[in-house]
Amino acid sequence: MNFDQLKEQWNNEDGDNVHIPNTIEQLKKSKHPIEKIQKSMKAEFPMQIIAVILIGFFPQQLGFPTSQYVIYYTSYVMLVVISSYYLFGFYKFYKQTELYSGNTKNSLWKIYHELKLNMERYQSFGFLLLPHVMITVGLEFYNLLEKKGESLGHISNSFQQGLIISVLLGTVAMVGSIVLWTKYIYGRNAKHLENILNEMDE
């Protein structure tokens, strides 16, 4: 078969049946939510570190007596240890997103699963802050009673019940806020990545 015959056969091919996969375009689109995730993390990381440091000055700001410092700072040390573990994982995930080049589907799946895992860690970190918040509020409440010349043993049953209900409602509100905040910051981008991956599978 000579060159002219090959050329004629090429021209006779139906060009309408040629399918160009759009996988590359979908992978390029995936960079958009990943870039948004990186931007959110870059803004949030230093703010979280600053917040943990500032929490260490609460006893002075709230006027706790020095006798209560040991209670507060025992809880605070635990908070710092937990925060360090979480922030290290947060930083590692951020570095992983920087390495994503958008050229393979497998790497996009890996980023997606790491994002979902990071969202779970983010929520767990928020939930682990609750005990420290409760200790801080408890100490503040105790000090307010002392200033009025009262004590926990002298408060009425109705007041105790109201206090328990307030703590319960406050805890539920904080848990709900943490879940909603996580979905607001990262949930939309996770859903965007999931939709792209589903399109690619189809």
Side-chain angles (χ1 to χ4, degrees):
M1 185 181 290
N2 58 31
F3 178 73
D4 291 332
Q5 288 175 315
L6 283 170
K7 185 178 178 181
E8 184 178 354
Q9 188 175 1
W10 179 273
N11 290 332
N12 288 333
E13 290 289 339
D14 186 4
D16 294 336
N17 292 331
V18 177
H19 176 65
I20 300 173
N22 58 355
T23 304
I24 300 301
E25 288 304 316
Q26 288 169 323
L27 285 169
K28 286 179 180 178
K29 278 199 302 183
S30 68
K31 287 287 284 184
H32 182 58
I34 290 173
E35 285 166 358
K36 281 188 173 182
I37 292 165
Q38 289 173 334
K39 188 176 179 181
S40 297
M41 293 181 75
K42 196 171 182 179
E44 203 170 4
F45 187 71
M47 294 300 294
Q48 289 178 347
I49 294 174
I50 292 169
V52 170
I53 293 170
L54 290 177
I55 289 171
F57 296 98
F58 274 16
Q60 293 80 15
Q61 295 297 318
L62 297 173
F64 288 176
T66 53
S67 59
Q68 294 179 352
Y69 279 17
V70 65
I71 299 172
Y72 183 88
Y73 283 110
T74 299
S75 175
Y76 178 69
V77 167
M78 294 174 63
L79 172 67
V80 170
V81 172
I82 293 168
S83 300
S84 300
Y85 172 76
Y86 163 74
L87 290 170
F88 177 69
F90 189 91
Y91 178 75
K92 276 180 65 178
F93 175 63
Y94 177 77
K95 298 305 288 184
Q96 280 183 328
T97 61
E98 283 189 329
L99 295 174
Y100 174 68
S101 58
N103 57 357
T104 65
K105 181 182 172 184
N106 287 339
S107 64
L108 184 57
W109 267 115
K110 185 176 180 182
I111 289 291
Y112 172 73
H113 288 301
E114 286 293 328
L115 174 59
K116 297 291 283 187
L117 181 61
N118 193 67
M119 288 171 66
E120 290 294 327
R121 279 199 302 255
Y122 189 93
Q123 289 182 354
S124 299
F125 174 63
F127 299 152
L128 289 170
L129 293 177
L130 284 172
H132 183 75
V133 171
M134 292 302 173
I135 289 171
T136 305
V137 171
L139 289 173
E140 177 66 8
F141 180 73
Y142 177 83
N143 292 330
L144 288 173
L145 285 177
E146 276 210 330
K147 287 177 183 178
K148 293 179 179 180
E150 301 176 2
S151 66
L152 291 172
H154 293 94
I155 59 177
S156 64
N157 289 333
S158 59
F159 189 84
Q160 289 179 20
Q161 290 171 359
L163 182 62
I164 292 170
I165 292 170
S166 297
V167 170
L168 179 62
L169 292 176
T171 302
V172 171
M174 282 191 67
V175 169
S177 298
I178 291 165
V179 172
L180 290 174
W181 179 252
T182 305
K183 287 184 177 180
Y184 175 75
I185 293 292
Y186 300 110
R188 292 175 298 176
N189 294 316
K191 189 65 179 175
H192 193 168
L193 285 176
E194 184 181 5
N195 290 339
I196 290 169
L197 287 164
N198 289 336
E199 287 175 17
M200 290 166 65
D201 285 338
E202 291 170 5

